[in-house]
Amino acid sequence: MSLPVVQCIARARIPTTHGPDIFLHLYTNDRDNKEHLAIVFGEDIRSRTLFRQYPGETQQDRMVRGAYVGKLYPGRTVADVDERLGFRLEFDAEGNLLTNSATTWSEENDTLVRIHSECYTGETAWSARCDCGEQFDRAGKLISLDEEPETHIKGGCGHGVIVYLRQEGRGIGLSEKLKAYNLQDLGADTVQANLMLKHPADARDFGIGRAILIDLGIKNVRLLTNNPDKIQQVSYKDQLRCVERVPMIPIHWTDESKGIDSKEIEGYLRTKIERMGHLLQKPLNLHTPQEQETI
């Protein structure tokens, strides 16, 4: 299957409350009308479509859309050269970015990546039904670190990408997701609720995520996930491959004073293991007492 055609149309530096700056990239594509995002750690990870030189554009045009090297500062007039830092971008005759180690992250580097689907309830409304918000925050932390002290997981040392796909509720949308929550309160698990609403258990498409990573010059992925399907999805011919799965262990499992502690999250994680094959190893009560009596 061919890759979606993606184009990065804007990039901006975002100072964060956690310390390192990130570079937020906004993408359009030919598959849907949603604005998908790449949260990039490392100024030298460059979108090929954003940085391409287009006919008729000015250096000011390039700076405004974020296609600049180094840092912006008042009075700067040239996007492709940062005289203060001594960085200069180079291009071929068609305007395509020529990569080199002085200015651009090598595609041969192993890069820490999280492919994350939008979750309004978990990221914004403090939901304890899922661990999406926790995973999003932890991915950013791990990419920033050399090593996570609690788990000794090797981090990204300040380089990495969170691909943020706008596919709420495993692809069913927010309104259907809220209906699924009501069905869960009536006794269904997260998979059963989706099926009862006539949706697949997981309707997400990670093709746009693959295309975004390739556009960013990422080839060798250290993937932050517990989902075996994502491991298969992060592969495309000779352009993209998963070289390592980095587990996303729930924080509450390693420190009972932290993380999410609720009956809903336990049921959610149990369903991920039992029904969706997620690679989580903590001994859970994988069956209800009624089920255990019949085993």
Side-chain angles (χ1 to χ4, degrees):
M1 184 176 178
S2 63
L3 279 175
V5 177
V6 300
Q7 181 166 2
C8 183
I9 61 172
R11 162 186 179 259
R13 180 183 66 86
I14 308 293
T16 70
T17 57
H18 294 300
D21 290 351
I22 60 170
F23 290 83
L24 191 61
H25 295 59
L26 189 146
Y27 278 86
T28 60
N29 70 91
D30 65 347
R31 296 286 174 87
D32 60 38
N33 60 1
K34 298 176 182 177
E35 295 178 327
H36 300 280
L37 301 165
I39 301 166
V40 175
F41 293 70
E43 190 278 334
D44 55 349
I45 296 179
R46 305 199 187 284
S47 159
R48 297 337 189 229
T49 55
L50 180 81
F51 275 86
R52 188 175 185 275
Q53 290 181 327
Y54 293 99
E57 69 176 357
T58 67
Q59 290 291 302
Q60 178 74 6
D61 294 334
R62 291 178 62 75
M63 285 191 290
V64 169
R65 78 163 187 266
Y68 62 87
V69 65
K71 294 183 178 180
L72 294 181
Y73 50 84
R76 181 169 169 176
T77 59
V78 180
D80 300 333
V81 179
D82 186 329
E83 294 182 351
R84 292 184 178 181
L85 296 177
F87 294 151
R88 178 183 294 272
L89 298 178
E90 297 180 349
F91 303 86
D92 66 17
E94 286 74 42
N96 297 306
L97 178 70
L98 297 174
T99 62
N100 61 70
S101 59
T103 61
T104 305
W105 184 249
S106 172
E107 67 173 15
E108 298 302 326
N109 292 332
D110 294 346
T111 306
L112 194 59
V113 169
R114 166 79 180 163
I115 298 180
H116 188 91
S117 296
E118 177 181 35
C119 179
Y120 178 85
T121 51
E123 297 158 6
T124 306
W126 313 289
S127 172
R129 288 184 182 269
C130 67
D131 59 347
C132 301
E134 178 181 289
Q135 288 189 339
F136 180 81
D137 291 343
R138 186 143 176 263
K141 176 185 175 184
L142 282 167
I143 292 171
S144 301
L145 293 174
D146 295 346
E147 180 181 273
E148 187 176 50
E150 300 86 351
T151 63
H152 302 293
I153 291 174
K154 179 184 176 183
C157 304
H159 278 90
V161 179
I162 301 175
V163 177
Y164 190 87
L165 300 176
R166 308 294 298 278
Q167 43 188 8
E168 181 81 45
R170 299 199 198 103
I172 67 175
L174 185 55
S175 63
E176 293 296 279
K177 179 180 180 180
L178 297 181
K179 295 175 186 177
Y181 282 168
N182 291 331
L183 287 170
Q184 289 172 39
D185 284 345
L186 288 168
D189 65 34
T190 180
V191 170
Q192 292 168 338
N194 276 25
L195 296 176
M196 291 169 70
L197 291 169
K198 310 299 183 186
H199 298 298
D202 192 339
R204 291 176 295 179
D205 178 5
F206 297 106
I208 291 172
R210 286 197 297 269
I212 287 174
L213 289 172
I214 292 170
D215 179 69
L216 290 168
I218 305 299
K219 180 178 180 181
N220 298 323
V221 172
R222 299 178 59 227
L223 187 64
L224 285 159
T225 190
N226 300 319
N227 185 347
D229 185 49
K230 282 188 182 178
I231 298 170
Q232 299 300 319
Q233 292 279 356
V234 182
S235 176
Y236 191 76
K237 298 180 179 178
D238 297 325
Q239 299 181 68
L240 190 68
R241 66 187 182 120
C242 179
V243 298
E244 179 187 356
R245 181 185 77 88
V246 181
M248 297 290 284
I249 303 168
I251 294 172
H252 189 68
W253 288 9
T254 58
D255 186 340
E256 292 186 355
S257 67
K258 299 178 181 178
I260 304 169
D261 181 19
S262 71
K263 65 177 182 179
E264 287 88 357
I265 193 68
E266 286 293 296
Y268 176 77
L269 294 173
R270 183 170 65 244
T271 299
K272 277 190 169 184
I273 296 169
E274 289 186 316
R275 302 289 298 274
M276 305 181 76
H278 281 216
L279 305 172
L280 290 165
Q281 298 178 340
K282 163 116 177 179
L284 281 173
N285 179 17
L286 292 181
H287 302 278
T288 64
Q290 292 82 0
E291 290 172 328
Q292 289 177 333
E293 289 174 2
T294 61
I295 293 176

